[in-house]
Amino acid sequence: MNKWLRKVALTGLTAVAALSLSACGQKQNSSSSKKVTIEYFNQKKEMSGTLKEIIKDFEKKNPNIRVKEVDVPNPGTVLKTRILAGDVPDVINIYPQNIDFQEWAKAGYFLDMTHAPYIKNIKNHYADSFKVNGKIYNVPLSANVYGFFYNATEFKKLGIKPPKTWAQFEQIVKKIKASGKAPFAVAGSEPWTLNGYHQLSLATITGGATQANKLLRYSAPNGIKVNNPAIQKDFNRLDLLRFNSQTNWRGASYNDAIVSFASGKSMIMPNGSWALPLINAQKPKFKVRTFAFPADKAGHEMTVGSGDLALSISASTKHRKACEKFVAYMTTPAAMQKYYNVDGEPVAVKGIKQKGVNSELGGLYTLAFTNHDMVWLAQHWTSENDFFVLTAGYLMSGNKQQMVDAMNTFFNPMKAAN
């Protein structure tokens, strides 16, 4: 080979090598900077805007991860359908007290988080409250609490203070009605909003969650009777709503009830802490405050709740590291302070500045994470939908035997496991 041909050949080989190295480098860079998308299934529709802001903050810190937030109507039903079909979202806002969650965790649908570093960011070992077979499958970031929102400005004008006993509550309702205002704002067409009221009614009557379930879930088949003293008291508490709610409450939606309360037409609204952002969105012209469900004796008031913004990760996700990074970020003060500032519910993440007793939720906040704060009774039920439907059924009809029959029909199948 002459000198010129050798030079051309060497030049060609050098070019090929350079191209190969360049292609290799591009491939490596492409691999290391590959973006992934994870799905976040949200059940907190009212907090969707704030969650999107938090997600943007996370994506700025993690440019290779995109979080697609999914909001759907009837998310509980949709989630059940998807999980049973094996289509489990990557990260799920799921309520850890629900029997569905417990069964799905046992079946291996969720990632075991027991030893994850971010669990240490949750205070008071709150995640332990929802262990399944001794393992943690859910990170509860905030807790919902249920009680009564009230118009503190109008209360003061009428010389009314939040009740400490059931007898005081009945007197307050009479005084409000005499003033020409509707005592309660109730969403009769959305029975789930009454679930907490009825569960707290039974718990405060019987002495606690365990005693309430002894009456309902663990009594003999057909053991719930109209003439049972506790059931008689329960009718009394349900009747307080039945006879003292706003006009057209039977057909009212969740939003209708909030508007009735926030506009000042109704003075008290039984509902959960999740309603606060929607109340504030109506810009009420009065101080919004809360009080707990009163019992026969002062000092025995109660609230009910559970993990609210509570996250699980699919065990079958293709992007486990990305999911864990996102969940870990959600357990930081940077994320949850922004969330709390809008939502206002008690937060289980360490390092959050919370308003406390003088805030809108102050009357319930002080009971959160104490023995006055029970987990939803349905933690021991197969479902709770029929329970709040029968609650609304009684409020509509006042038929005592019908409600008791519906209770027995609902609980009898569960009692086979007793």
Side-chain angles (χ1 to χ4, degrees):
M1 182 181 291
N2 65 33
K3 189 174 181 180
W4 182 81
L5 287 174
R6 187 182 293 114
K7 185 175 181 181
V8 171
L10 287 170
T11 301
L13 288 169
T14 302
V16 170
L19 285 170
S20 297
L21 287 170
S22 174
C24 182
Q26 286 177 357
K27 185 176 181 181
Q28 288 174 346
N29 289 338
S30 174
S31 176
S32 62
S33 63
K34 185 178 180 182
K35 291 187 177 182
V36 300
T37 298
I38 60 174
E39 178 188 356
Y40 170 60
F41 188 92
N42 179 37
Q43 296 204 64
K44 295 281 294 176
K45 178 66 177 175
E46 65 274 15
M47 290 299 292
S48 180
T50 303
L51 286 165
K52 282 182 170 65
E53 290 180 19
I54 294 170
I55 287 169
K56 283 182 182 178
D57 295 340
F58 170 77
E59 290 175 337
K60 285 178 184 177
K61 294 177 182 292
N62 299 273
N64 293 337
I65 304 173
R66 177 176 175 258
V67 181
K68 180 184 178 183
E69 188 215 10
V70 173
D71 290 300
V72 294
N74 302 311
T77 302
V78 171
L79 182 61
K80 182 180 288 189
T81 301
R82 286 187 58 178
I83 287 183
L84 292 177
D87 179 23
V88 186
D90 296 305
V91 180
I92 314 164
N93 172 203
I94 188 168
Y95 303 116
Q97 82 282 3
N98 286 356
I99 195 73
D100 284 342
F101 166 79
Q102 297 169 43
E103 293 302 319
W104 293 335
K106 290 174 186 175
Y109 284 103
F110 305 131
L111 189 69
D112 180 0
M113 301 168 159
T114 309
H115 302 294
Y118 46 80
I119 292 296
K120 295 177 182 177
N121 296 341
I122 305 301
K123 64 185 180 182
N124 299 332
H125 303 286
Y126 189 49
D128 290 349
S129 303
F130 308 104
K131 279 184 173 179
V132 177
N133 291 340
K135 294 182 179 180
I136 295 172
Y137 295 97
N138 183 270
V139 185
L141 303 169
S142 70
N144 54 51
V145 280
Y146 189 105
F148 299 95
F149 290 93
Y150 73 97
N151 183 329
T153 304
E154 198 66 25
F155 265 44
K156 188 174 181 180
K157 287 180 183 178
L158 293 174
I160 298 172
K161 292 183 179 180
K164 295 295 182 184
T165 67
W166 185 258
Q168 289 176 4
F169 198 14
E170 290 179 318
Q171 291 305 312
I172 285 170
V173 169
K174 286 180 181 179
K175 194 165 187 177
I176 292 171
K177 200 167 186 179
S179 75
K181 298 265 187 179
F184 295 109
V186 167
S189 73
E190 298 198 46
W192 65 269
T193 61
L194 303 168
N195 192 27
Y197 185 98
H198 200 180
Q199 290 195 25
L200 285 167
S201 168
L202 289 158
T204 52
I205 288 165
T206 58
T210 300
Q211 294 89 329
N213 257 332
K214 188 176 180 180
L215 171 67
L216 301 171
R217 167 72 174 79
Y218 298 107
S219 58
N222 295 316
I224 304 170
K225 307 285 187 183
V226 169
N227 61 1
N228 182 297
I231 295 298
Q232 286 290 315
K233 282 189 174 184
D234 186 40
F235 289 137
N236 168 259
R237 281 145 178 73
L238 292 173
D239 284 344
L240 196 70
L241 290 185
R242 186 165 171 257
F243 295 119
N244 297 289
S245 295
Q246 82 276 24
T247 304
N248 300 324
W249 64 267
R250 287 175 170 80
S253 67
Y254 177 36
N255 191 63
D256 292 335
I258 285 172
V259 170
S260 179
F261 172 70
S263 66
K265 293 179 180 177
S266 302
M267 295 270 286
I268 305 169
M269 184 175 69
N271 221 309
S273 47
W274 53 79
L276 182 60
L278 296 179
I279 294 170
N280 286 337
Q282 296 290 323
K283 298 181 179 179
K285 297 177 181 178
F286 56 84
K287 280 186 179 180
V288 176
R289 293 292 184 266
T290 49
F291 61 86
F293 201 104
D296 287 337
K297 293 182 180 179
H300 292 258
E301 303 93 326
M302 293 187 71
T303 185
V304 59
S306 182
D308 195 57
L309 183 65
L311 307 183
S312 292
I313 296 174
S314 167
S316 61
T317 179
K318 295 179 181 178
H319 308 295
R320 174 174 171 172
K321 287 184 178 179
C323 291
E324 292 210 273
K325 272 191 175 182
F326 176 61
V327 172
Y329 181 73
M330 291 300 294
T331 69
T332 65
M336 288 308 295
Q337 189 68 59
K338 181 173 282 191
Y339 186 90
Y340 170 78
N341 290 345
V342 177
D343 183 62
E345 291 184 327
V347 173
V349 172
K350 295 175 182 176
I352 305 300
K353 294 179 181 178
Q354 303 185 58
K355 296 176 184 177
V357 69
N358 294 317
S359 68
E360 293 99 325
L361 295 174
L364 303 175
Y365 177 89
T366 53
L367 301 183
F369 314 121
T370 72
N371 58 6
H372 291 267
D373 179 13
M374 72 180 196
V375 175
W376 296 94
L377 297 177
Q379 187 176 33
H380 302 285
W381 303 351
T382 53
S383 74
E384 61 185 348
N385 185 74
D386 289 352
F387 180 79
F388 52 70
V389 168
L390 67 84
T391 300
Y394 175 74
L395 292 180
M396 300 289 180
S397 69
N399 189 320
K400 296 179 179 181
Q401 189 61 54
Q402 185 181 64
M403 188 184 91
V404 165
D405 289 344
M407 279 181 155
N408 284 318
T409 299
F410 176 56
F411 287 107
N412 278 350
M414 299 179 214
K415 293 176 181 180
N418 290 349

